[in-house]
């Protein structure tokens, strides 16, 4: 998980653990080869990757252990707990973890959130220097959406020449997992924590219920609520700024509605061909879902995304 962010809270926990020579949290709020004593609340037969999410949605669950008992059991636990209460086991299949108490965007467990969509053509905020510790800021492009511009070029939404690059559209990869980019707001964290971080979203409502999408965060927005991911989907609405007017000669309110965008796959034909496939994705893989809810968890960024954004977190 080298690319996930380490909030100062998690860093402090990590250092404490080093001092104890105990569980290696690695900047996350879950770890391998560890267990918590007692405090069992309930258990469910489920795979280890779903145990943290199950705890998060179970009332009273504050921490958990997963063991391979009975083909795989998630033991949900209650009560006040500190990461230091976890202990190392010799069983390498075991997983344990704890819930962040206050939202904690830096953690590794799964949390629930909501999505919206947009494509405003503007230079993404993580395209500026010094937003986070990264190999380079997110690529932003000239009007053609292809030529990568220098990081100090002003946004097309601010009278400058810099816009969203065409290849930062959503697409479908192997195993029917979708990939894309998003603006996000995660309480307890900030751009230093989330710029270029990747998250696996599992949609929990609408026609995409159960489908997974991995996004890299390239942007933020003052209009975003808590645990809110605004998915970058061409023709998904140009929002407040509408940089698409100066970049692509889009209508004053963008393609379709200013918020929400086009309402059918045919409407995608009004978009420039260079980003049209990203618009159609919404009506195919995304099944025209309208702002579905989801659970999300930090994941190591796949090269499918970093090869497009150019941005990899270095801590
Ligand atoms: C409580 O949870 C642990 C895992 O932490 C499990 O091994 C144990 O069997 C559980 N005990 C009971 C009584 O359910």
């Amino acid at each position: 998980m080298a690319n996930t962010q380490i909030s100062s809270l998690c860093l402090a926990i990590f250092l404490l653990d080093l001092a104890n020579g105990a569980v290696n949290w690695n900047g996350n709020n879950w770890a391998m080869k560890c267990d918590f004593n007692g405090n069992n609340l309930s258990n469910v037969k489920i795979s280890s990757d779903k145990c943290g999410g199950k705890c998060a949605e179970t009332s009273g669950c504050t921490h958990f252990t997963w063991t391979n008992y009975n083909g795989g059991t998630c033991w949900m636990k209650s009560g006040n707990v500190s990461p230091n209460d976890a202990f190392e086991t010799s069983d390498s299949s075991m997983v344990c973890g704890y819930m962040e108490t206050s939202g904690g965007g830096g953690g590794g467990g799964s949390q629930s959130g909501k999505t919206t969509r947009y494509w405003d053509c503007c230079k993404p905020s993580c395209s500026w220097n010094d937003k986070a510790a990264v190999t380079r800021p997110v690529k932003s492009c000239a009007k053609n959406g292809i030529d990568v511009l220098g990081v100090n070029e002003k946004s097309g939404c601010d009278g400058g020449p810099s816009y969203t690059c065409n290849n930062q559209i959503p697409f479908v990869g192997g195993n029917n997992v979708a990939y894309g980019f998003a603006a996000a707001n995660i309480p307890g964290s900030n751009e230093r924590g989330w710029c270029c971080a990747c998250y696996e979203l599992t949609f929990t409502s609408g026609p995409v219920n159960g489908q997974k999408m991995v996004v890299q965060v390239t942007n933020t927005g003052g209009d975003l609520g808590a645990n809110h991911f605004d998915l970058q989907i061409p023709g998904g609405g140009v929002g407040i700024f509408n940089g698409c007017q100066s970049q692509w000669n889009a209508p004053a309110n963008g393609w379709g509605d200013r918020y929400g965008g086009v309402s059918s796959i045919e409407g995608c034909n009004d978009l420039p061909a260079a980003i049209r496939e990203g618009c159609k994705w919404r009506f195919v893989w995304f099944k025209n879902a309208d702002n579905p809810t989801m659970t999300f968890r930090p994941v190591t960024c796949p090269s499918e995304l970093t090869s497009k954004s150019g941005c990899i977190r270095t801590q």
Side-chain angles (χ1 to χ4, degrees):
M1 305 291 287
N3 294 342
T4 51
Q5 71 278 45
I6 302 175
S7 69
S8 51
L9 171 70
C10 290
L11 188 61
I13 291 163
F14 183 50
L15 293 174
L16 269 175
D17 284 330
L18 283 184
N20 287 353
V23 176
N24 185 355
W25 297 103
N26 218 2
N28 297 310
N29 57 358
W30 58 272
M32 310 287 296
K33 284 183 75 168
C34 64
D35 193 4
F36 285 108
N37 269 327
N39 291 320
N40 293 6
L41 175 69
S42 56
N43 65 77
V44 55
K45 192 175 164 167
I46 198 172
S47 61
S48 59
D49 61 320
K50 300 204 167 64
C51 192
K54 193 74 198 169
C55 178
E57 66 191 24
T58 301
S59 171
C61 185
T62 54
H63 55 301
F64 62 88
T65 297
W66 185 92
T67 70
N68 59 18
Y69 173 79
N70 193 21
T73 299
C74 178
W75 304 92
M76 285 174 283
K77 296 165 180 282
S78 61
N80 277 340
V81 73
S82 147
N84 295 316
D85 297 333
F87 56 92
E88 198 173 6
T89 67
S90 54
D91 182 344
S92 60
S93 72
M94 283 172 71
V95 178
C96 79
Y98 58 94
M99 297 294 108
E100 304 277 352
T101 45
S102 57
S110 118
Q111 302 181 61
S112 51
K114 63 177 208 165
T115 67
T116 47
R117 61 179 181 268
Y118 83 110
W119 184 272
D120 64 6
C121 297
C122 305
K123 173 178 178 170
S125 70
C126 301
S127 291
W128 293 98
N129 261 333
D130 293 329
K131 287 298 182 97
V134 293
T135 53
R136 60 147 294 151
V138 172
K139 287 177 182 171
S140 60
C141 286
K143 239 179 198 182
N144 63 10
I146 298 167
D147 301 327
V148 177
L149 294 187
V151 292
N152 293 322
E153 299 287 358
K154 276 174 85 174
S155 172
C157 296
D158 197 17
S162 194
Y163 296 94
T164 308
C165 298
N166 297 341
N167 63 3
Q168 290 171 28
I169 60 176
F171 58 97
V172 185
N175 294 325
N176 199 36
V177 171
Y179 295 88
F181 300 88
N185 176 29
I186 305 168
S189 188
N190 53 32
E191 283 193 297
R192 187 146 285 277
W194 66 58
C195 267
C196 298
C198 289
Y199 297 87
E200 180 192 70
L201 315 185
T202 303
F203 295 108
T204 53
S205 70
V208 281
N209 195 357
Q211 290 183 199
K212 288 182 192 296
M213 176 173 194
V214 179
V215 296
Q216 184 173 39
V217 176
T218 54
N219 206 350
T220 188
D223 53 340
L224 300 180
N227 291 346
H228 182 170
F229 284 63
D230 204 4
L231 307 176
Q232 282 188 43
I233 308 174
V238 293
I240 312 171
F241 298 112
N242 192 9
C244 303
Q245 197 171 12
S246 59
Q247 187 184 8
W248 299 113
N249 251 325
N253 281 322
W255 304 287
D257 292 331
R258 189 166 195 116
Y259 295 92
V262 303
S263 53
S264 70
I265 196 166
E266 290 74 32
C268 294
N269 293 324
D270 294 340
L271 275 69
I275 53 173
R276 198 175 291 153
E277 285 310 306
C279 178
K280 291 184 174 174
W281 170 90
R282 169 149 72 98
F283 299 96
V284 183
W285 187 93
F286 201 53
K287 300 175 179 165
N288 197 14
D290 191 22
N291 300 342
T293 55
M294 49 80 179
T295 57
F296 66 99
R297 65 179 185 100
V299 293
T300 301
C301 280
S303 58
E304 282 91 336
L305 293 173
T306 55
S307 63
K308 296 186 175 187
S309 67
C311 185
I312 300 173
R313 289 179 68 87
T314 55
Q315 53 173 248

